[in-house]
Amino acid sequence: MAAIDGLPPLRDVITRHGLDAKKALGQNFLLDLNLTQKIARTAGPLDGVTVIEVGPGPGGLTRAILSLGAKKVIAIERDGRCLPALAEIADFYPGRLEVIEGDALKTSFEDLVTAGPVKIIANLPYNVGTQLLVNWLLPKAWPPFYQSMTLMFQREVGLRIVADADDDHYGRLGVLCGWRTNARMAFDVPPQAFSPPPKVTSSVVHLEPIENPIPCLAEDLEKVTMAAFGQRRKMLRQSVKSIGGEALLARAEIDPKRRAETLSVEEFCRLANCL
């Protein structure tokens, strides 16, 4: 494995700082620095860009982002054990790495950066990844503060993010991502690339905001998708009963005998606007 900078190999860093990955924090550390560079490159050119990273751990992806020329990385890390390893990276890249110890779910990301461009690149902790994505998808102000998101999830979640109508993986997440972003699967990452190896394959997903998505209130779209996919095998007249049932479907001109997974993003937006 070729070195990407003058810092020690990640295995040495993890051993020296006693950084065993904690299951409770959803941690799986990426050790292959060539792979972390591939993830960072998926985000496109980084010159002059401020990158927000969640869950950097010992800093493998952080190092790749900085080595590819990012102006600055703002890293949110909940695990205080990782801070000394990240401090070594900050010393190696003076003035370019800011580490914030805290909970990403309680972080106001819009307030972290005063001037763009901003990209989000992260190997997200498994236990909070989906919720973070939804939070980034549903801010009241749109277009959002970021230019793109390049994120790693369990492959199952990645398939849900990029799914279209009539796909077995299509659900609430596919509708929300399809409404406000263009999302694509970039590549898969095998379990053996991590320490410890997870039981599943992971996938890197790249999402770019749509500047002018279909006009619709996010809270109404959430309400409609939660109802419709809450009983996804039932006809819509039954699954959306709690939010208006057949009367709502009639206003949206949608056949009540259809099922949730057959509706396009545009049709879900129509339903939301008829609430």
Side-chain angles (χ1 to χ4, degrees):
M1 174 169 52
I4 61 169
D5 52 32
L7 288 162
L10 270 179
R11 274 190 198 281
D12 294 356
V13 173
I14 289 169
T15 301
R16 184 156 41 86
H17 292 284
L19 297 178
D20 54 309
K22 285 191 174 180
K23 192 174 182 181
L25 296 176
Q27 291 175 328
N28 294 90
F29 299 147
L30 265 177
L31 297 183
D32 187 336
L33 293 175
N34 293 318
L35 183 55
T36 59
Q37 277 210 325
K38 186 177 179 182
I39 296 168
R41 284 196 193 95
T42 301
L46 297 180
D47 290 343
V49 171
T50 296
V51 172
I52 291 176
E53 183 187 6
V54 172
L61 183 55
T62 315
R63 287 165 60 174
I65 294 166
L66 289 165
S67 74
L68 290 172
K71 179 175 74 175
K72 185 176 183 180
V73 174
I74 301 173
I76 319 298
E77 179 53 67
R78 187 178 170 188
D79 187 354
R81 300 175 309 146
C82 296
L83 300 186
L86 294 169
E88 292 173 5
I89 301 171
D91 289 342
F92 191 83
Y93 292 99
R96 293 173 60 197
L97 173 59
E98 177 184 351
V99 180
I100 299 170
E101 185 179 6
D103 186 342
L105 289 175
K106 297 176 182 175
T107 300
S108 176
F109 289 93
E110 292 91 336
D111 298 333
L112 293 180
V113 187
T114 53
V118 178
K119 295 182 179 183
I120 301 173
I121 307 175
N123 168 23
L124 293 175
Y126 279 172
N127 54 356
V128 296
T130 303
Q131 187 55 56
L132 281 171
L133 173 60
V134 171
N135 292 351
W136 289 326
L137 285 171
L138 300 182
K140 289 186 177 174
W142 198 267
F145 67 94
Y146 54 83
Q147 277 190 348
S148 68
M149 298 185 282
T150 305
L151 308 171
M152 189 185 297
F153 298 93
Q154 296 178 51
R155 189 166 195 275
E156 178 72 21
V157 177
L159 290 171
R160 285 164 45 205
I161 289 168
V162 302
D164 290 322
D166 290 317
D167 186 312
D168 287 344
H169 294 92
Y170 188 57
R172 172 173 167 259
L173 200 54
V175 174
L176 296 179
C177 292
W179 172 45
R180 276 190 161 174
T181 71
N182 290 313
R184 66 177 176 86
M185 293 276 266
F187 57 92
D188 291 339
V189 181
Q192 57 268 31
F194 297 89
S195 175
K199 293 177 181 176
V200 295
T201 297
S202 300
S203 294
V204 175
V205 183
H206 184 72
L207 305 97
E208 295 187 357
I210 295 170
E211 193 165 337
N212 295 302
I214 299 167
C216 177
L217 287 177
E219 53 264 41
D220 289 340
L221 189 59
E222 276 206 286
K223 208 177 290 181
V224 165
T225 52
M226 284 178 78
F229 288 108
Q231 303 180 69
R232 64 183 297 140
R233 296 304 170 202
K234 293 190 175 179
M235 292 181 188
L236 284 167
R237 66 184 175 200
Q238 181 64 34
S239 60
V240 301
K241 214 172 189 176
S242 62
I243 57 169
E246 296 210 36
L248 172 65
L249 293 163
R251 287 198 299 277
E253 299 180 342
I254 291 172
D255 183 349
K257 294 179 182 177
R258 290 174 65 186
R259 289 179 170 78
E261 66 263 25
T262 70
L263 265 62
S264 66
V265 171
E266 187 272 330
E267 287 174 313
F268 271 111
C269 290
R270 236 165 55 211
L271 269 177
N273 288 329
C274 287
L275 268 181

